[in-house]
Structure formats: C-alpha cells, structure tokens
Amino acid sequence: MNVQWVVSVSYGELILKGKNRRQFTKAALRHLHKALAGIPVQAQFEQFGKVFLAVDEADVERTVAAARRVFGLIYVTPSLQVPRDEAALREAAAALLSHRVATLREQDGSDSRIGDAGTSDGGTSRNAVMTGSPDAAHPVTFKVDVKRSDKSFAVPSPEFAARVGSWMLEDVPGLAVDVHAPDITLRVEIREDFFVSVDRYAGMGGLPAGSGGRGLLLLSGGIDSPAAGFALARRGLSLSAVHFHSYPFTSERAQDKARRLAAQMERTVGPMRLFMVNLTDIYTAIARHCSKRNTTVLSRRMMMRIADRIADQDHDDCLITGESLGQVASQTIQGISVVNEAARHPILRPFIATDKTAIIDIARDIGTFDISIEPFDDCCSIFAPEHPNTRPSLAEIERDEAKLDVEGLVAQALETLERVDIESP
C-alpha cells in the first residue's frame, strides 16, 4: 500500500482576502517554515486552499505542535495520504481506526464511554497498526465524515461516507455508529488522492504575524496585558513591549517577572523587543504636587506620553493595553477618555468589553497566567490611591498637570530607557 503521512494546514479566513489573499498566505507560509525549522519536510504541496507537508511518521507530532503555533492557520490535520483507490483507502482507514480504538481502550480501561479524541492533544503514537482488540461488550462509537473537494469524484459524500462506514464495521471489531456524539470521527477528504485522518487540531487562526503593522504593548505584571498582546498579535500585529517600573519602590523581581512574561509571550507571538522605563521621579512629583486621588490617571497619561516617544523610535503604529471597562476604578469611561487625550498614537484595548474569566482563560492558554499571579507588585499597584477619582474630567486633570514639568519628567524617564534581551524558554 503506497501511503505516506502528511500534515495539512488550513488557512481559515485568509482565503477570504480577495485580491490580497496571496500576500496573506505567503506570510503565513513564511512563518510556518520558521516554525518548522529543524523538522525535515520531505515534500510540500498545495491543493484547494490547503498546504500539505509530507513528513516521516516519527515527526508528525512535532510538526503538528509547530504548525499550531502559527497565526493565520485555523486547522492542523495529520493524515494518511492514500492513492485514489478504494481498496487502498479501506486498508489505510481500518489500520488508522484500529490503532485509535486500541489506544482509547488502553487509556480508558473497560469504561463503557470513551471521551472524544477527534480534536485531542494526546501524545499517542501514530503507528498505523492494530495493537489490541476492543471489548465487544463496550463498543467504541464512530462516524465517517467525507469531504469531496474534488467534485470529479462521482460518488456523493453521504453515499461514500456510508460505504466507508460499512467497511469499518466489517474490518474493525467492537465499533458502533453514532453520528451525533462519536468517540472517533474518521475523516476522508477526496482530492487528487484520499486523505484519511482521526485527528484534527485547532490552530491559532487570525492573521499572519506582522501582516497588520506593529504595536507597542504596555506590559504590566498582571494577567490582562500579556493576553491583550496575544489577542492583537493574532490579528496580525508584530509586538514590542514597554514595562514601567519604580525601582527601588518596586523590587527587581517585579522587573524579572516582566522579562519572563515577555519570554513566555514570544513562544506564541514571535520575536518581541522589551523596553524598561523607571517612573520613580514621575510618581514622586505627582505625590508632592498633585491631588492623590488623581494619581492613577495622571501616571497613566505620563505612561502614554512616554510610550508615544518609544513608539516613534520603534516604528510602532499603535499602543496596546489590557484595560477592560469597569474592571478597576481607573478603567471607567471617564478615566479612559482622559487618558486617551494624552496619546498621539491610537490606543487599542482588545478586552474593553471582555469578562475577567475569559481573559484568564487566554492567559492560561498562552502560559502567562502562573507568572502573572506571582506576588511581585508593579508600580500601578504600589502607588494606587486608596480612594481614586473614578470620574475625572480633562479640565481637572490638566489643572493638576500644570503643577508638573510634564516634558521634563518625560525626558527624565526616557533617560532610564533600557532595552532588554529576552530569553525565551
């Protein structure tokens, strides 16, 4: 039987880009090739909006893992590529399904229900051989999903799915059909060849990294900002980040925390530049000359002015924060509006209407949550007033700022600017 393992990647929304489609798909492929560095790809070919990577069986799992980290790809599917011959398809499908059934039996013992493995991340071997026999008293359920991408194939998809399902019931012991909630979905895609699979993994989706410009992330030590950076990187922005600290009021461990957050982010968003800026003089001046209740808004406006200057030097098109409307006292619509007035670059807030639980889910997915909850305070929390002004007016804040040498303080802060080398895990 002349079959080979391939990993296919699907472009998702990139195929809807009209005349610009090729620009986006080329960018996604470029990042895919970077992600696959060190993995020997025997062949690459493209058919009808998918790219197929032929690899050795031993390299399938790490190829899948690498492809899943690439923005712009919606599905990653390890498959057996089979010549368009029904006997060959039957043999390959039975071998693949038998192995999956045996693996589920080993994982689940003799339980009558086995969890769906169709989109799992399980690290099972992909040997297309029968390694065990399921218990007929507790059948594993399956269904066959046929996609006829090549319409020259004469048999309609539902009819061919029934045919393949009938073969599997004959060839693989201990199976039962369940088209609504199967334990296994056997997928057959009909192109120039047959492609048969039992796994399909979600990719990052979104747009290729760098296809939407550059953004400067205001990276605090909290949960929200790393997740916000990821959300916009997924929409095509390349990222740099700036972390504001107030050493010695905050410890060096807080700065190390920011470095580790940036390093963890690099694993999903790609290369980042990280800048550190000390705001001690700014907080000291605000404490001496301004109303304490306005500290948070005043300091945020100073951060935006500094971030503007860094963005100019770094060729960034926008600023990014993790703010969510009403989540904390400073994130009221009045506070956000007043802060906006201090920035020249647009400020993107991807989580402005997002619940905290959803943000936490993203932080867990990208691996930043456990770092973010380490108990090292950032400057925002250290200097936060006990009773902040939740409804500041621009006139009120500008009266307080008139007591400060704003440009001088911004210049002093920029003198502390440090570019940090990120060491990714």
Side-chain angles (χ1 to χ4, degrees):
M1 180 172 59
N2 184 22
V3 303
Q4 68 173 354
W5 278 103
V6 297
V7 175
S8 69
V9 296
S10 304
Y11 287 130
E13 68 178 277
L14 303 190
I15 63 174
L16 305 177
K17 290 297 180 181
K19 294 180 180 179
N20 295 324
R21 179 188 308 165
R22 192 59 189 160
Q23 172 187 338
F24 284 91
T25 57
K26 284 176 67 176
L29 279 179
R30 186 169 62 250
H31 291 296
L32 177 62
H33 292 154
K34 289 180 182 179
L36 295 173
I39 301 175
V41 177
Q42 299 167 358
Q44 175 182 311
F45 54 95
E46 189 166 356
Q47 295 180 8
F48 308 116
K50 279 189 179 182
V51 174
F52 295 83
L53 308 165
V55 295
D56 285 336
E57 183 179 337
D59 293 322
V60 168
E61 288 189 19
R62 61 185 186 134
T63 303
V64 169
R68 292 186 71 193
R69 295 197 300 268
V70 177
F71 292 115
L73 306 179
I74 192 169
Y75 291 123
V76 181
T77 308
S79 308
L80 284 175
Q81 181 183 6
V82 184
R84 212 151 87 172
D85 172 81
E86 291 192 9
L89 171 63
R90 179 172 182 169
E91 183 179 350
L96 197 59
L97 191 56
S98 295
H99 179 259
R100 172 46 56 86
V101 168
T103 301
L104 290 178
R105 288 295 181 197
E106 291 170 3
Q107 292 173 347
D108 208 65
S110 60
D111 286 356
S112 61
R113 292 296 301 167
I114 300 175
D116 182 13
T119 55
S120 73
D121 295 331
T124 58
S125 167
R126 303 198 177 276
N127 296 319
V129 295
M130 181 67 172
T131 60
S133 203
D135 182 352
H138 303 292
V140 175
T141 60
F142 83 110
K143 75 171 182 178
V144 179
D145 183 7
V146 171
K147 181 177 181 181
R148 193 166 53 117
S149 298
D150 182 357
K151 301 304 182 186
S152 68
F153 188 75
V155 184
S157 296
E159 182 180 334
F160 198 64
R163 185 181 303 178
V164 174
S166 178
W167 295 339
M168 296 303 99
L169 289 171
E170 292 178 13
D171 297 347
V172 182
L175 286 177
V177 174
D178 183 346
V179 298
H180 300 293
D183 298 317
I184 305 170
T185 299
L186 178 70
R187 292 183 174 88
V188 179
E189 186 164 9
I190 304 168
R191 293 176 175 257
E192 295 176 12
D193 294 306
F194 291 129
F195 294 87
V196 57
S197 63
V198 292
D199 287 310
R200 185 172 68 181
Y201 299 87
M204 285 288 188
L207 301 175
S211 62
R214 294 193 53 83
L216 179 65
L217 172 68
L218 277 67
L219 180 66
S220 71
I223 295 169
D224 301 342
S225 58
F230 166 80
L232 285 175
R234 188 172 175 269
R235 299 309 303 165
L237 286 184
S238 293
L239 298 183
S240 293
V242 56
H243 176 72
F244 295 104
H245 65 92
S246 51
Y247 180 81
F249 292 104
T250 53
S251 73
E252 290 183 331
R253 289 184 297 180
Q255 296 174 58
D256 177 66
K257 179 181 177 181
R259 292 186 186 95
R260 287 184 289 117
L261 282 171
Q264 181 61 32
M265 288 183 67
E266 274 204 343
R267 301 182 71 173
T268 52
V269 306
M272 288 175 54
R273 290 189 282 270
L274 174 63
F275 303 97
M276 296 278 197
V277 177
N278 193 319
L279 294 187
T280 298
D281 290 341
I282 286 175
Y283 276 108
T284 300
I286 290 172
R288 286 177 179 170
H289 302 293
C290 302
S291 170
K292 186 171 179 59
R293 66 195 294 266
N294 291 332
T295 296
T296 301
V297 173
L298 290 166
S299 61
R300 292 291 289 178
R301 282 169 59 88
M302 297 296 277
M303 289 179 190
M304 296 306 168
R305 293 184 176 103
I306 295 166
D308 266 336
R309 309 307 199 275
I310 296 172
D312 288 339
Q313 298 172 17
D314 195 48
H315 307 292
D316 298 312
D317 304 301
C318 63
L319 310 180
I320 304 164
T321 78
E323 292 165 297
S324 178
L325 187 63
Q327 188 177 112
V328 296
S330 64
Q331 294 175 16
T332 61
I333 190 63
Q334 293 85 358
I336 288 171
S337 298
V338 170
V339 169
N340 282 349
E341 292 294 324
R344 289 182 289 102
H345 289 79
I347 304 172
L348 304 188
R349 298 176 172 91
F351 295 147
I352 194 66
T354 305
D355 290 340
K356 188 72 172 186
T357 52
I359 300 172
I360 289 173
D361 287 342
I362 294 173
R364 290 187 189 278
D365 286 343
I366 65 175
T368 57
F369 178 78
D370 288 339
I371 303 172
S372 294
I373 61 174
E374 292 176 3
F376 305 133
D377 289 324
D378 58 26
C379 56
C380 294
S381 56
I382 286 288
F383 292 98
E386 185 176 354
H387 301 291
N389 186 355
T390 60
R391 294 178 176 272
S393 69
L394 182 59
E396 175 187 7
I397 296 302
E398 287 180 338
R399 282 195 297 271
D400 250 355
E401 283 182 341
K403 305 170 187 175
L404 304 171
D405 177 9
V406 171
E407 289 304 316
L409 289 169
V410 168
Q412 280 180 255
L414 286 170
E415 288 178 3
T416 73
L417 179 67
E418 175 188 4
R419 178 168 171 169
V420 179
D421 292 328
I422 303 173
E423 297 182 6
S424 297

